[in-house]
Amino acid sequence: MKKLKFDPLNIVICGIGGQGNVLASEVVGSAMTDRGYRVAIGETYGASQRGGSVMSHVRVSENQELSVLIPSGEAHIIIGFEPLETLRMTRKYAGPNTMIVYDPRPVYPLGVLQGIQQYPDQEALMAEIAELSAAAYPVPAADIAMEVGDSRAANIALLGAFTQLPDAPLSREDLEKILTQRFKGAVLELNQKAFAKGCAAVSEKEG
């Protein structure tokens, strides 16, 4: 079993309803369990299931019994499907060792689309995410998903990117194994393509 750099290892997965946040946390949790770790997962939801904030806490240990909630400032990895949600979670949960992988493409809330609210400046938002973390990796997961033919695959693309982080507790092969268990046929093939492109998006930056 691979030694954890931090024990417990705390992972926050965040986005908005409908982006596949819960599936992503289940895939990560399943892969960690397969590796022999103890895993605790908790989810919180915003005002609505689709369009509201969604956050998963994934806590991993070699032998500790864990509560499901991560204390403020103690996340080691943040996986974000939407940049403003990523920033919100970064402000609350990031610490000096936090690594972040996220999609910088905004999903505008209804108030912004109606002209009632204003979405934050994207460059300033990304700069703050980078400043508050040890390392931040923007990955165009939604664009990757559209390239492979299904917008719903953005979460799988980000999981691929996650495996390439220097502190990632799972290898690419660990998560690929879970994908083959979860999906079959054409859906599996599509998700494998999205996953591979997500891996490449971070490995190229690291290289």
Side-chain angles (χ1 to χ4, degrees), residues 62-202:
E62 291 186 12
N63 49 41
Q64 296 182 55
E65 291 289 346
L66 301 168
S67 64
V68 295
L69 295 182
I70 296 170
S72 296
E74 294 188 20
H76 302 111
I77 297 173
I78 296 175
I79 304 171
F81 298 130
E82 201 283 332
L84 184 55
E85 291 301 320
T86 302
L87 177 58
R88 287 173 177 162
M89 295 305 105
T90 299
R91 286 171 173 170
K92 182 170 183 178
Y93 291 103
N97 299 306
T98 306
M99 291 194 168
I100 300 174
V101 59
Y102 71 104
D103 191 338
R105 179 176 175 175
V107 178
Y108 298 116
L110 184 60
V112 172
L113 296 174
Q114 292 175 334
I116 300 170
Q117 299 171 314
Q118 187 172 358
Y119 195 90
D121 177 78
Q122 189 174 15
E123 288 189 9
L125 189 155
M126 294 175 66
E128 186 175 350
I129 291 173
E131 182 181 349
L132 293 175
S133 61
Y137 300 83
V139 172
D143 293 341
I144 289 172
M146 294 302 292
E147 285 174 21
V148 303
D150 191 333
S151 61
R152 293 172 295 181
N155 59 345
I156 303 301
L158 266 181
L159 289 184
F162 155 71
T163 67
Q164 302 305 300
L165 296 179
D167 288 348
L170 295 166
S171 69
R172 175 174 179 165
E173 291 73 23
D174 290 331
L175 281 185
E176 284 176 331
K177 176 184 175 183
I178 303 301
L179 294 183
T180 61
Q181 295 171 358
R182 290 265 175 168
F183 306 106
K184 302 298 178 186
V187 177
L188 172 60
E189 185 177 343
L190 185 149
N191 279 313
Q192 286 173 326
K193 290 179 181 177
F195 185 83
K197 286 180 176 288
C199 290
V202 170

Side-chain angles (χ1 to χ4, degrees), residues 8-83:
L9 177 73
N10 297 322
I11 303 170
V12 170
I13 304 175
C14 61
I16 60 174
Q19 289 189 301
N21 196 92
V22 174
L23 174 63
S25 65
E26 289 175 353
V27 168
V28 171
S30 294
M32 299 299 298
T33 300
D34 272 7
R35 292 295 303 273
Y37 294 112
R38 296 189 179 190
V39 180
I41 299 176
E43 276 98 23
T44 61
Y45 301 88
S48 62
Q49 188 170 355
R50 182 170 292 273
S53 298
V54 182
M55 173 179 57
S56 300
H57 291 204
V58 181
R59 309 195 73 198
V60 184
S61 176
E62 291 186 12
N63 49 41
Q64 296 182 55
E65 291 289 346
L66 301 168
S67 64
V68 295
L69 295 182
I70 296 170
S72 296
E74 294 188 20
H76 302 111
I77 297 173
I78 296 175
I79 304 171
F81 298 130
E82 201 283 332

